[in-house]
Coordinates of all heavy atoms in Angstrom, one line a residue:
M1 N 102.7 92.8 105.0 CA 104.1 92.8 104.7 C 104.3 92.7 103.2 O 103.6 92.0 102.5 CB 104.9 91.7 105.5 CG 106.3 91.5 105.0 SD 107.7 91.9 106.0 CE 107.2 91.9 107.6
I2 N 105.3 93.4 102.7 CA 105.7 93.4 101.3 C 106.6 92.3 101.0 O 107.5 92.0 101.8 CB 106.4 94.7 100.9 CG1 105.4 95.9 101.2 CG2 106.9 94.7 99.5 CD1 106.2 97.2 101.2
K3 N 106.3 91.6 99.9 CA 107.3 90.5 99.5 C 107.8 91.0 98.1 O 107.1 91.1 97.2 CB 106.5 89.2 99.3 CG 107.5 88.0 99.0 CD 106.7 86.7 98.7 CE 106.2 86.2 100.0 NZ 105.6 84.8 99.7
L4 N 109.1 91.2 98.1 CA 109.8 91.6 96.8 C 110.4 90.3 96.1 O 111.2 89.6 96.7 CB 110.9 92.5 97.1 CG 111.9 92.8 95.9 CD1 111.1 93.5 94.8 CD2 113.0 93.7 96.4
H5 N 109.9 90.1 94.9 CA 110.5 89.0 94.1 C 111.6 89.6 93.2 O 111.4 90.4 92.4 CB 109.4 88.4 93.2 CG 108.4 87.6 94.0 ND1 108.6 86.3 94.4 CD2 107.2 88.0 94.6 CE1 107.5 85.9 95.1 NE2 106.7 87.0 95.2
H6 N 112.8 89.2 93.6 CA 114.0 89.8 92.9 C 114.6 88.7 91.9 O 114.7 87.6 92.3 CB 115.1 90.1 93.9 CG 116.4 90.4 93.4 ND1 116.6 91.6 92.7 CD2 117.6 89.8 93.3 CE1 117.9 91.7 92.3 NE2 118.5 90.5 92.7
L7 N 114.8 89.1 90.7 CA 115.4 88.3 89.7 C 116.8 88.9 89.4 O 116.9 90.1 89.2 CB 114.6 88.3 88.4 CG 115.1 87.5 87.2 CD1 115.1 86.0 87.6 CD2 114.2 87.7 86.0
N8 N 117.8 88.0 89.5 CA 119.2 88.5 89.2 C 119.2 89.2 87.8 O 118.5 88.8 86.9 CB 120.2 87.4 89.3 CG 120.0 86.3 88.3 OD1 118.9 85.8 88.1 ND2 121.1 85.8 87.8
R9 N 120.0 90.2 87.7 CA 120.2 91.0 86.5 C 118.8 91.6 86.0 O 118.4 91.4 84.8 CB 120.9 90.2 85.4 CG 122.3 89.8 85.7 CD 123.1 89.2 84.6 NE 122.4 88.1 83.9 CZ 122.3 86.8 84.2 NH1 122.9 86.4 85.3 NH2 121.7 86.0 83.4
S10 N 118.1 92.2 86.9 CA 116.9 92.9 86.6 C 116.8 94.2 87.3 O 117.7 94.6 88.0 CB 115.7 92.0 87.0 OG 115.6 92.1 88.4
R11 N 115.7 94.9 87.0 CA 115.5 96.2 87.6 C 115.0 96.2 89.0 O 114.8 97.2 89.6 CB 114.6 97.0 86.7 CG 115.2 97.3 85.4 CD 114.3 98.1 84.5 NE 114.9 98.5 83.3 CZ 114.3 98.9 82.2 NH1 113.0 99.0 82.2 NH2 115.0 99.1 81.1
S12 N 114.9 95.0 89.6 CA 114.4 95.0 90.9 C 115.4 95.5 92.0 O 115.0 95.8 93.1 CB 114.0 93.5 91.3 OG 115.0 92.6 91.2
L13 N 116.6 95.7 91.6 CA 117.6 96.3 92.6 C 117.1 97.7 93.0 O 117.3 98.1 94.1 CB 119.0 96.4 92.0 CG 119.8 95.1 92.0 CD1 121.1 95.2 91.3 CD2 120.0 94.6 93.5
R14 N 116.5 98.4 92.1 CA 116.0 99.8 92.4 C 114.9 99.7 93.5 O 114.8 100.6 94.3 CB 115.6 100.6 91.2 CG 114.5 100.0 90.4 CD 114.1 100.7 89.2 NE 115.2 100.7 88.2 CZ 115.1 101.1 87.0 NH1 114.0 101.6 86.5 NH2 116.1 101.0 86.2
I15 N 114.1 98.6 93.4 CA 113.0 98.5 94.4 C 113.6 98.1 95.8 O 113.2 98.5 96.8 CB 111.9 97.5 93.9 CG1 111.3 98.0 92.6 CG2 110.8 97.4 95.0 CD1 110.8 99.4 92.6
L16 N 114.6 97.2 95.7 CA 115.3 96.8 97.0 C 115.9 98.1 97.6 O 115.7 98.3 98.8 CB 116.3 95.8 96.6 CG 117.2 95.3 97.8 CD1 116.3 94.7 98.9 CD2 118.2 94.3 97.4
W17 N 116.5 98.9 96.8 CA 117.1 100.1 97.4 C 116.0 101.0 98.0 O 116.2 101.5 99.1 CB 117.8 100.9 96.3 CG 118.2 102.3 96.7 CD1 119.4 102.6 97.3 CD2 117.5 103.5 96.5 NE1 119.3 104.0 97.6 CE2 118.2 104.5 97.0 CE3 116.3 103.7 95.9 CZ2 117.8 105.8 97.0 CZ3 115.8 105.1 95.8 CH2 116.6 106.1 96.4
L18 N 114.9 101.2 97.3 CA 113.8 102.0 97.8 C 113.3 101.5 99.1 O 113.0 102.2 100.0 CB 112.7 102.1 96.7 CG 111.5 103.0 97.1 CD1 111.9 104.4 97.5 CD2 110.4 102.9 96.1
L19 N 113.0 100.2 99.2 CA 112.5 99.6 100.4 C 113.4 99.9 101.6 O 113.0 100.2 102.7 CB 112.3 98.1 100.2 CG 111.1 97.7 99.3 CD1 111.2 96.3 98.9 CD2 109.8 98.0 100.1
E20 N 114.7 99.8 101.3 CA 115.7 100.1 102.4 C 115.7 101.6 102.7 O 115.7 101.9 103.9 CB 117.1 99.7 102.0 CG 117.3 98.2 101.9 CD 117.3 97.5 103.3 OE1 117.8 98.2 104.3 OE2 116.8 96.4 103.4
E21 N 115.6 102.4 101.8 CA 115.6 103.8 102.0 C 114.4 104.3 102.8 O 114.5 105.2 103.7 CB 115.6 104.6 100.6 CG 115.8 106.0 100.7 CD 117.2 106.5 101.1 OE1 118.2 105.7 101.0 OE2 117.3 107.6 101.7
I22 N 113.2 103.8 102.5 CA 112.0 104.3 103.2 C 111.7 103.5 104.5 O 110.8 103.8 105.2 CB 110.8 104.2 102.2 CG1 110.5 102.8 101.8 CG2 111.0 105.2 101.1 CD1 109.2 102.7 100.9
G23 N 112.5 102.4 104.7 CA 112.3 101.6 105.9 C 111.1 100.8 106.0 O 110.6 100.5 107.1
A24 N 110.5 100.4 104.8 CA 109.3 99.6 104.8 C 109.7 98.2 105.1 O 110.7 97.7 104.7 CB 108.7 99.7 103.4
P25 N 108.9 97.5 105.9 CA 109.1 96.1 106.2 C 108.9 95.2 104.9 O 107.9 95.4 104.2 CB 108.1 95.7 107.3 CG 107.0 96.7 107.1 CD 107.6 97.9 106.5
Y26 N 109.8 94.3 104.7 CA 109.6 93.4 103.5 C 110.3 92.1 103.6 O 111.2 92.0 104.5 CB 110.1 94.2 102.2 CG 111.6 94.3 102.2 CD1 112.4 93.4 101.5 CD2 112.2 95.4 102.8 CE1 113.8 93.6 101.5 CE2 113.6 95.6 102.8 CZ 114.4 94.7 102.1 OH 115.8 94.8 102.1
N27 N 109.9 91.2 102.8 CA 110.6 89.9 102.7 C 111.2 89.9 101.3 O 110.6 90.4 100.3 CB 109.6 88.7 102.8 CG 109.1 88.5 104.3 OD1 109.9 88.8 105.2 ND2 107.9 88.1 104.4
F28 N 112.3 89.2 101.2 CA 113.1 89.2 99.9 C 113.1 87.8 99.4 O 113.4 86.8 100.1 CB 114.5 89.6 100.2 CG 115.4 89.7 99.0 CD1 115.4 90.8 98.2 CD2 116.3 88.7 98.8 CE1 116.2 90.9 97.1 CE2 117.2 88.8 97.7 CZ 117.1 89.9 96.9
V29 N 112.6 87.6 98.2 CA 112.6 86.3 97.5 C 113.5 86.4 96.3 O 113.3 87.1 95.4 CB 111.2 85.8 97.1 CG1 111.3 84.4 96.4 CG2 110.3 85.8 98.3
L30 N 114.6 85.6 96.3 CA 115.6 85.6 95.2 C 115.2 84.6 94.2 O 115.0 83.4 94.5 CB 117.0 85.4 95.7 CG 118.1 85.3 94.7 CD1 118.3 86.6 93.9 CD2 119.4 84.9 95.4
H31 N 115.2 85.0 92.9 CA 115.0 84.1 91.8 C 116.2 84.2 90.9 O 116.7 85.3 90.6 CB 113.7 84.5 91.0 CG 112.5 84.4 91.8 ND1 111.8 83.3 92.0 CD2 111.8 85.4 92.4 CE1 110.7 83.5 92.7 NE2 110.7 84.8 93.0
E32 N 116.7 83.1 90.4 CA 117.9 83.0 89.6 C 117.5 82.7 88.1 O 116.8 81.7 87.9 CB 118.9 82.0 90.1 CG 119.6 82.4 91.4 CD 120.7 83.4 91.3 OE1 121.2 83.6 90.2 OE2 120.9 84.1 92.3
R33 N 118.1 83.4 87.2 CA 117.8 83.1 85.8 C 118.5 81.8 85.4 O 119.5 81.4 86.0 CB 118.4 84.2 84.9 CG 117.8 85.5 85.0 CD 118.4 86.6 84.1 NE 117.9 87.9 84.3 CZ 116.8 88.3 83.7 NH1 116.2 87.5 82.9 NH2 116.3 89.5 84.0
D34 N 117.9 81.1 84.4 CA 118.5 79.9 83.9 C 119.9 80.3 83.2 O 119.9 81.2 82.5 CB 117.6 79.2 82.9 CG 118.1 77.9 82.3 OD1 119.0 78.0 81.4 OD2 117.7 76.9 82.8
K35 N 120.9 79.6 83.6 CA 122.2 79.9 83.1 C 122.4 79.8 81.6 O 123.2 80.5 81.0 CB 123.3 79.1 83.8 CG 123.4 79.6 85.3 CD 124.4 78.8 86.0 CE 124.4 79.3 87.5 NZ 125.2 78.6 88.4
E36 N 121.6 78.9 81.0 CA 121.7 78.7 79.5 C 120.8 79.6 78.7 O 121.1 80.1 77.7 CB 121.5 77.2 79.2 CG 122.6 76.3 79.7 CD 122.4 74.9 79.3 OE1 121.6 74.6 78.4 OE2 123.0 74.0 80.0
T37 N 119.5 79.7 79.2 CA 118.5 80.4 78.4 C 118.4 81.8 78.9 O 117.8 82.7 78.2 CB 117.2 79.7 78.5 OG1 116.7 79.8 79.9 CG2 117.2 78.3 78.1
N38 N 118.8 82.2 80.1 CA 118.7 83.5 80.7 C 117.2 83.8 81.1 O 116.9 84.9 81.3 CB 119.3 84.6 79.8 CG 119.7 85.8 80.6 OD1 120.2 85.7 81.7 ND2 119.5 87.0 80.0
L39 N 116.4 82.8 81.0 CA 114.9 83.0 81.3 C 114.7 82.9 82.8 O 115.5 82.3 83.6 CB 114.1 82.0 80.6 CG 114.1 82.1 79.1 CD1 113.3 80.9 78.5 CD2 113.6 83.4 78.6
A40 N 113.6 83.4 83.3 CA 113.2 83.4 84.7 C 112.8 81.9 85.0 O 112.3 81.2 84.2 CB 112.0 84.3 84.9
P41 N 113.0 81.6 86.3 CA 112.6 80.2 86.7 C 111.1 80.1 86.8 O 110.3 81.1 86.9 CB 113.2 80.1 88.1 CG 113.3 81.5 88.6 CD 113.5 82.4 87.4
D42 N 110.6 78.8 86.9 CA 109.2 78.5 87.0 C 108.6 79.2 88.2 O 107.4 79.6 88.2 CB 109.0 77.0 87.0 CG 109.2 76.4 85.7 OD1 109.2 77.1 84.6 OD2 109.4 75.1 85.7
A43 N 109.3 79.3 89.3 CA 108.8 79.9 90.5 C 108.4 81.3 90.3 O 107.3 81.8 90.8 CB 109.8 79.8 91.6
L44 N 109.1 82.1 89.5 CA 108.7 83.5 89.2 C 107.6 83.5 88.2 O 106.7 84.4 88.3 CB 109.9 84.3 88.7 CG 109.7 85.8 88.5 CD1 109.1 86.4 89.8 CD2 111.0 86.5 88.1
L45 N 107.6 82.6 87.3 CA 106.5 82.5 86.3 C 105.1 82.3 87.0 O 104.1 82.7 86.5 CB 106.8 81.4 85.3 CG 107.9 81.7 84.3 CD1 108.3 80.5 83.5 CD2 107.5 82.9 83.3
K46 N 105.2 81.6 88.1 CA 103.9 81.4 88.9 C 103.4 82.7 89.5 O 102.2 82.9 89.7 CB 104.1 80.4 90.0 CG 104.3 79.0 89.4 CD 104.6 78.0 90.5 CE 104.9 76.6 89.9 NZ 105.2 75.6 91.0
I47 N 104.3 83.6 89.7 CA 103.9 85.0 90.3 C 103.5 85.9 89.2 O 102.6 86.6 89.3 CB 105.1 85.5 91.1 CG1 105.6 84.6 92.2 CG2 104.7 86.9 91.7 CD1 104.5 84.2 93.2
H48 N 104.3 86.0 88.1 CA 104.1 86.8 87.0 C 104.2 86.0 85.7 O 105.2 85.3 85.5 CB 105.1 88.0 86.9 CG 104.9 89.0 85.9 ND1 105.0 88.8 84.6 CD2 104.4 90.3 86.1 CE1 104.7 89.9 83.9 NE2 104.3 90.8 84.8
P49 N 103.1 86.0 84.9 CA 103.1 85.1 83.7 C 104.2 85.2 82.7 O 104.5 84.3 82.0 CB 101.8 85.3 83.1 CG 101.3 86.6 83.6 CD 102.0 86.8 84.9
L50 N 104.9 86.4 82.7 CA 106.0 86.6 81.8 C 107.3 86.5 82.5 O 108.4 86.7 81.9 CB 105.9 88.0 81.1 CG 104.6 88.3 80.3 CD1 104.6 89.7 79.8 CD2 104.6 87.3 79.1
G51 N 107.3 86.2 83.8 CA 108.6 86.1 84.5 C 109.3 87.4 84.7 O 110.5 87.4 84.8
K52 N 108.6 88.5 84.7 CA 109.2 89.8 84.9 C 109.5 90.1 86.3 O 108.9 89.6 87.3 CB 108.2 90.9 84.4 CG 107.9 90.8 82.9 CD 109.1 91.2 82.1 CE 108.7 91.2 80.6 NZ 109.8 91.7 79.8
S53 N 110.5 91.0 86.5 CA 110.9 91.4 87.8 C 111.3 92.9 87.6 O 111.9 93.2 86.6 CB 112.0 90.6 88.3 OG 112.4 91.0 89.6
P54 N 111.0 93.8 88.6 CA 110.5 93.5 89.9 C 109.0 93.2 89.9 O 108.2 93.7 89.1 CB 110.8 94.8 90.6 CG 110.7 95.9 89.6 CD 111.2 95.2 88.3
V55 N 108.6 92.4 90.9 CA 107.3 92.2 91.3 C 107.2 92.2 92.8 O 108.1 91.7 93.5 CB 106.8 90.8 90.8 CG1 105.4 90.4 91.3 CG2 106.9 90.7 89.3
I56 N 106.2 92.9 93.3 CA 106.0 92.8 94.8 C 104.6 92.2 95.0 O 103.7 92.4 94.2 CB 106.1 94.2 95.5 CG1 105.1 95.2 95.0 CG2 107.5 94.7 95.3 CD1 105.0 96.4 95.9
E57 N 104.4 91.6 96.1 CA 103.1 91.2 96.7 C 102.9 92.1 97.8 O 103.7 92.2 98.7 CB 103.2 89.7 97.1 CG 103.3 88.7 96.0 CD 103.3 87.3 96.4 OE1 102.3 86.9 97.0 OE2 104.3 86.6 96.3
M58 N 101.7 92.7 97.8 CA 101.4 93.7 98.9 C 99.9 93.7 99.1 O 99.2 93.9 98.1 CB 101.9 95.1 98.5 CG 101.8 96.1 99.5 SD 102.7 97.6 99.0 CE 101.6 98.8 99.4
D59 N 99.5 93.5 100.3 CA 98.0 93.5 100.6 C 97.2 92.6 99.7 O 96.1 93.0 99.3 CB 97.5 95.0 100.6 CG 98.2 95.9 101.6 OD1 98.7 95.4 102.6 OD2 98.4 97.1 101.2
G60 N 97.7 91.5 99.4 CA 97.0 90.5 98.5 C 97.0 90.8 97.0 O 96.5 90.1 96.3
D61 N 97.7 91.9 96.7 CA 97.8 92.2 95.2 C 99.3 91.9 94.7 O 100.2 92.0 95.5 CB 97.6 93.7 95.0 CG 96.1 94.1 95.3 OD1 95.2 93.3 94.9 OD2 95.9 95.2 95.9
I62 N 99.4 91.7 93.4 CA 100.7 91.5 92.8 C 100.9 92.7 91.9 O 100.0 93.0 91.0 CB 100.7 90.2 92.0 CG1 100.5 89.1 92.9 CG2 102.0 90.1 91.2 CD1 101.0 87.8 92.6
I63 N 101.9 93.5 92.1 CA 102.2 94.7 91.4 C 103.6 94.5 90.7 O 104.6 94.1 91.3 CB 102.3 95.9 92.3 CG1 101.0 96.1 93.1 CG2 102.6 97.2 91.5 CD1 101.0 95.7 94.5
S64 N 103.6 94.8 89.4 CA 104.8 94.7 88.6 C 105.1 96.1 88.0 O 104.3 97.0 88.2 CB 104.7 93.7 87.5 OG 103.6 94.0 86.6
E65 N 106.2 96.2 87.4 CA 106.7 97.4 86.8 C 107.3 98.4 87.8 O 106.6 98.8 88.8 CB 105.7 98.2 85.9 CG 105.2 97.4 84.8 CD 106.2 97.0 83.8 OE1 107.2 97.7 83.6 OE2 106.1 95.9 83.1
S66 N 108.6 98.7 87.7 CA 109.3 99.4 88.7 C 108.7 100.8 89.0 O 108.7 101.3 90.1 CB 110.8 99.5 88.4 OG 111.0 100.1 87.2
A67 N 108.3 101.5 88.0 CA 107.7 102.8 88.2 C 106.4 102.8 89.0 O 106.2 103.6 89.9 CB 107.4 103.5 86.8
A68 N 105.5 101.8 88.7 CA 104.3 101.7 89.4 C 104.6 101.3 90.9 O 103.9 101.8 91.8 CB 103.4 100.6 88.8
I69 N 105.5 100.4 91.1 CA 105.9 99.9 92.4 C 106.5 101.1 93.2 O 106.1 101.3 94.4 CB 106.9 98.8 92.4 CG1 106.2 97.5 91.8 CG2 107.4 98.5 93.8 CD1 107.2 96.4 91.4
T70 N 107.3 101.9 92.6 CA 107.9 103.0 93.2 C 106.9 104.0 93.7 O 106.9 104.5 94.8 CB 109.0 103.7 92.3 OG1 110.0 102.8 92.0 CG2 109.6 105.0 92.9
E71 N 106.0 104.4 92.8 CA 104.9 105.3 93.1 C 104.1 104.8 94.3 O 103.8 105.6 95.2 CB 104.1 105.6 91.9 CG 103.1 106.8 92.1 CD 102.5 107.3 90.8 OE1 103.0 107.0 89.7 OE2 101.5 107.9 90.9
L72 N 103.7 103.6 94.2 CA 102.9 103.0 95.3 C 103.6 103.0 96.6 O 103.0 103.4 97.6 CB 102.5 101.6 94.9 CG 101.7 100.8 95.9 CD1 100.3 101.4 96.0 CD2 101.6 99.3 95.5
L73 N 104.8 102.6 96.6 CA 105.6 102.5 97.9 C 105.8 103.9 98.5 O 105.7 104.1 99.7 CB 106.9 101.8 97.7 CG 106.8 100.3 97.4 CD1 108.2 99.7 97.1 CD2 106.2 99.6 98.5
C74 N 106.1 104.9 97.6 CA 106.4 106.2 98.1 C 105.1 106.8 98.7 O 105.1 107.5 99.7 CB 106.9 107.1 97.0 SG 108.7 106.8 96.7
A75 N 104.0 106.6 98.0 CA 102.7 107.1 98.4 C 102.3 106.6 99.8 O 101.8 107.3 100.7 CB 101.6 106.8 97.4
Q76 N 102.6 105.3 100.0 CA 102.2 104.7 101.3 C 103.2 104.9 102.4 O 102.8 105.0 103.5 CB 102.0 103.2 101.0 CG 101.4 102.5 102.3 CD 100.7 101.2 102.0 OE1 100.4 100.9 100.9 NE2 100.6 100.4 103.0
Y77 N 104.5 104.8 102.1 CA 105.5 104.8 103.2 C 106.3 106.1 103.2 O 107.0 106.3 104.3 CB 106.4 103.6 103.0 CG 105.8 102.3 103.2 CD1 105.3 101.5 102.2 CD2 105.6 101.8 104.5 CE1 104.6 100.3 102.4 CE2 105.0 100.6 104.8 CZ 104.5 99.9 103.7 OH 103.9 98.7 103.9
A78 N 106.4 106.9 102.2 CA 107.2 108.1 102.2 C 106.6 109.2 101.4 O 107.2 109.6 100.4 CB 108.6 107.7 101.7
P79 N 105.4 109.7 101.7 CA 104.7 110.7 100.9 C 105.5 112.0 100.7 O 105.4 112.7 99.8 CB 103.4 110.9 101.6 CG 103.6 110.4 103.0 CD 104.7 109.3 102.9
N80 N 106.5 112.2 101.7 CA 107.3 113.4 101.5 C 108.3 113.3 100.4 O 108.9 114.3 100.0 CB 108.0 113.7 102.9 CG 108.9 112.6 103.3 OD1 108.6 111.4 103.0 ND2 109.9 112.9 104.0
M81 N 108.5 112.1 99.9 CA 109.5 111.9 98.8 C 108.9 112.3 97.4 O 109.6 112.4 96.4 CB 110.0 110.5 98.7 CG 110.9 110.1 99.9 SD 111.5 108.4 99.8 CE 112.7 108.6 98.5
M82 N 107.6 112.5 97.4 CA 106.9 112.8 96.1 C 106.1 114.1 96.1 O 105.3 114.2 97.1 CB 106.0 111.6 95.7 CG 106.7 110.4 95.4 SD 105.5 109.0 94.9 CE 104.6 109.8 93.6
P83 N 106.3 115.0 95.2 CA 105.4 116.1 95.1 C 104.0 115.7 94.8 O 103.7 114.6 94.3 CB 106.0 117.0 94.0 CG 107.3 116.4 93.7 CD 107.3 115.0 94.1
P84 N 103.0 116.6 95.1 CA 101.6 116.2 94.8 C 101.4 116.0 93.3 O 101.9 116.7 92.5 CB 100.8 117.4 95.3 CG 101.7 118.1 96.3 CD 103.1 117.8 95.8
A85 N 100.6 115.0 93.0 CA 100.2 114.7 91.6 C 99.5 115.9 91.0 O 98.8 116.6 91.6 CB 99.3 113.5 91.5
G86 N 99.8 116.1 89.7 CA 99.2 117.2 89.0 C 99.9 118.5 89.1 O 99.5 119.5 88.4
T87 N 101.0 118.6 89.8 CA 101.8 119.8 89.9 C 103.0 119.7 88.9 O 103.4 118.6 88.5 CB 102.3 120.0 91.3 OG1 103.2 119.0 91.6 CG2 101.2 120.0 92.3
S88 N 103.5 120.9 88.6 CA 104.7 120.9 87.7 C 105.9 120.2 88.4 O 106.7 119.6 87.8 CB 105.1 122.3 87.3 OG 105.4 123.1 88.5
A89 N 106.0 120.3 89.8 CA 107.0 119.6 90.5 C 106.9 118.1 90.3 O 107.9 117.4 90.2 CB 107.0 120.0 92.0
Y90 N 105.7 117.5 90.3 CA 105.5 116.1 90.1 C 106.0 115.7 88.7 O 106.7 114.7 88.5 CB 104.0 115.8 90.2 CG 103.7 114.3 90.1 CD1 103.9 113.4 91.2 CD2 103.2 113.8 88.9 CE1 103.6 112.1 91.0 CE2 102.9 112.5 88.8 CZ 103.1 111.6 89.8 OH 102.8 110.3 89.7
A91 N 105.7 116.5 87.7 CA 106.1 116.2 86.3 C 107.7 116.2 86.2 O 108.2 115.4 85.4 CB 105.5 117.2 85.3
R92 N 108.3 117.1 86.9 CA 109.8 117.2 86.8 C 110.4 116.0 87.6 O 111.4 115.5 87.3 CB 110.3 118.5 87.5 CG 110.1 119.7 86.6 CD 110.9 120.9 87.1 NE 110.6 121.2 88.5 CZ 109.6 122.0 88.8 NH1 108.8 122.5 87.9 NH2 109.4 122.3 90.1

């Protein structure tokens, strides 16, 4: 099962949308920024050393960066959403 670590005011909303769109099973973990410093909480720093989000846990791996997560999720759960790698359609 996929675990999405969501940080408020981050790009992880796009991963949440994608998970819903492709119908992949997932758990949602909400992390709130510190109201004074705007930094990620310690709980997220334990998952990603820079406190970045989005981060997913999948098959024992931790994957960060929304583009990498998107490509991985589409390849595994919705291959029809992506043209084959190496084609001009993929580049577009």
Side-chain angles (χ1 to χ4, degrees):
M1 166 109 26
I2 299 164
K3 185 185 289 187
L4 170 62
H5 292 273
H6 170 72
L7 180 63
N8 62 319
R9 296 188 313 276
S10 74
R11 294 182 177 163
S12 60
L13 280 176
R14 61 182 68 170
I15 303 305
L16 178 59
W17 170 85
L18 178 60
L19 288 165
E20 288 291 324
E21 186 70 25
I22 62 178
Y26 68 94
N27 290 325
F28 183 81
V29 180
L30 176 62
H31 300 277
E32 293 281 338
R33 294 178 185 275
D34 183 280
K35 291 180 180 169
E36 292 182 20
T37 65
N38 205 36
L39 296 175
D42 289 341
L44 186 55
L45 290 169
K46 290 177 184 176
I47 305 299
H48 189 285
L50 299 175
K52 297 288 186 177
S53 180
V55 174
I56 64 169
E57 293 182 60
M58 186 169 137
D59 300 328
D61 293 320
I62 299 204
I63 302 104
S64 61
E65 300 298 331
S66 57
I69 294 168
T70 298
E71 188 167 341
L72 177 68
L73 291 175
C74 286
Q76 184 160 342
Y77 292 96
N80 60 328
M81 290 181 74
M82 292 179 57
T87 65
S88 60
Y90 182 83
R92 283 193 304 276

